[in-house]
Amino acid sequence: WIYALLTVIFYGICTCEGGQLKSVKVKTRAPANREVTVYYRVPRNYDKDSGLLYRVLVIFGGRNCKGRSEAGGRLGFADWADKHDIFLVGPGFTNDEYWHPEKWSGKALQKALELIKKEYNIREDRLLYYGWSGGSQCANLFPAWRPENSVAWVSHACGVWHSPSRRMQRVAGLVTCGDADTGRYILSRRFVEESRKLGLNVMWRSFPNTPHAVPPESVELARAFLLHYHKLNLYDLGVPGTHPYSALARMEPEFIGDDLEGRYWPASNPVAKRIKREDRVRLYTKELAEAWGERAGALYERK
């Protein structure tokens, strides 16, 4: 019922540790969002003459967050973004059911990215998403709205989900939640189970005795997960010698995790081969496996 009609107002600029924090403003017809500020952080080593495009990670914080802290690198994303040459984008959406991108906020974000692209060599599609609490709703609903424009997403402590669909076959997802965040834990686990029945690439990790909060371990895992799919899709950015995702999608995991135990084994280990399909977690790199859980001990591995 609400459609976006967007125009640029101005660019604001300030500095933050490790990079520049800037903003664009767009207008919409959404009642509480007549003028929306979208912040973005330029990675420290940005090179406009490199001939390459730069990846964007869109970060949604808690409900009605302003976007400034998120784009500025809250939760430890700033150093990570600098190291891997990734732009951070933090939308400052408020109410008007902004977590449903088809209503107005999706077009608002797209317009903001187009404005950023006028100044910087970003890939305004093929996005990464991260969100927690109210923002976690956006982090899964936005890629489900336009899966062709998405690479991977992470939702932590989420209470509103898209309906799993094979349209998401090539978009990787990570779902995390504290097991003491009871309502959201139940909804999150149910979403993962329904997704896996469709053969979708959705990873799951819960955190014991954790209420509605963001444990550092969940962010570490999110960064490892997003980095894996960023690297897997460097072809998007014009990096020489890389290949399309479709050519790499058949890669085999290096480790297999067991959802129930939070442990992982080398994929060739007999124990790994016996893990039930519904509990199997495919871990493609050592870094991802170490961030996901605990490696089984030598004695345990031989059982």
Side-chain angles (χ1 to χ4, degrees):
W1 40 254
I2 301 175
Y3 297 93
L5 182 63
L6 311 141
T7 55
V8 62
I9 306 299
F10 67 87
Y11 285 83
I13 179 170
C14 65
T15 59
C16 62
E17 184 178 356
Q20 289 186 327
L21 185 64
K22 298 188 174 185
S23 67
V24 294
K25 290 196 175 185
V26 296
K27 284 186 176 180
T28 86
R29 290 181 178 175
N33 294 269
R34 297 297 189 184
E35 185 177 270
V36 176
T37 302
V38 177
Y39 291 93
Y40 64 99
R41 184 182 185 279
V42 182
R44 181 188 298 121
N45 297 318
Y46 173 78
D47 181 3
K48 66 178 181 179
D49 300 319
S50 68
L52 302 177
L53 296 176
Y54 284 70
R55 182 83 66 200
V56 169
L57 168 60
V58 183
I59 302 183
F60 296 98
R63 182 165 179 166
N64 292 343
C65 74
K66 302 301 183 183
R68 183 186 180 97
S69 295
E70 287 68 31
R74 185 182 182 186
L75 299 178
F77 276 102
D79 289 341
W80 177 86
D82 281 339
K83 182 178 180 179
H84 303 292
D85 295 327
I86 293 174
F87 276 67
L88 303 179
V89 172
F93 299 147
T94 302
N95 297 324
D96 295 324
E97 296 188 319
Y98 68 83
W99 48 93
H100 292 297
E102 69 279 3
K103 293 188 174 183
W104 64 272
S105 55
K107 292 181 180 180
L109 176 60
Q110 287 181 331
K111 182 60 178 180
L113 292 171
E114 290 169 5
L115 294 172
I116 297 170
K117 188 174 177 63
K118 289 182 179 180
E119 298 292 324
Y120 294 95
N121 299 328
I122 65 167
R123 181 83 193 245
E124 76 275 27
D125 56 1
R126 304 295 293 151
L127 303 169
L128 302 173
Y129 291 94
Y130 173 85
W132 72 277
S133 189
S136 67
Q137 301 170 177
C138 300
N140 80 86
L141 291 170
F142 272 63
W145 175 57
R146 293 283 174 83
E148 68 278 6
N149 290 348
S150 310
V151 171
W153 58 271
V154 179
S155 285
H156 177 76
C158 184
V160 179
W161 296 98
H162 66 271
S163 298
S165 164
R166 288 191 172 89
R167 293 178 64 244
M168 297 289 280
Q169 192 73 48
R170 293 182 60 183
V171 185
L174 168 63
V175 177
T176 59
C177 193
D179 64 5
D181 192 1
T182 308
R184 291 170 184 261
Y185 175 90
I186 293 172
L187 291 173
S188 298
R189 183 64 186 175
R190 183 183 303 158
F191 172 84
V192 172
E193 292 173 353
E194 292 174 353
S195 297
R196 288 179 174 176
K197 288 177 182 177
L198 294 177
L200 303 181
N201 184 6
V202 176
M203 183 182 293
W204 163 253
R205 188 69 167 101
S206 63
F207 298 91
N209 305 313
T210 301
H212 190 61
V214 185
E217 297 85 357
S218 73
V219 183
E220 180 184 356
L221 174 56
R223 289 194 295 259
F225 178 84
L226 293 168
L227 179 60
H228 171 69
Y229 286 99
H230 162 63
K231 289 183 174 180
L232 192 62
N233 289 274
L234 288 176
Y235 176 85
D236 294 342
L237 309 179
V239 176
T242 56
H243 304 281
Y245 173 79
S246 58
L248 296 174
R250 296 185 297 275
M251 67 183 298
E252 292 299 319
E254 187 174 350
F255 300 95
I256 297 293
D258 186 335
D259 263 347
L260 296 180
E261 297 196 20
R263 295 173 182 260
Y264 66 88
W265 292 259
S268 60
N269 188 280
V271 176
K273 296 180 183 297
R274 293 197 296 269
I275 298 172
K276 294 181 179 179
R277 180 179 179 183
E278 60 268 25
D279 298 326
R280 292 172 63 86
V281 181
R282 298 165 68 88
L283 301 164
Y284 293 96
T285 66
K286 179 181 178 182
E287 293 75 17
L288 186 55
E290 290 176 343
W292 179 84
E294 178 184 354
R295 178 160 181 156
L299 293 175
Y300 195 83
E301 286 185 10
R302 290 198 293 269
K303 287 185 179 180

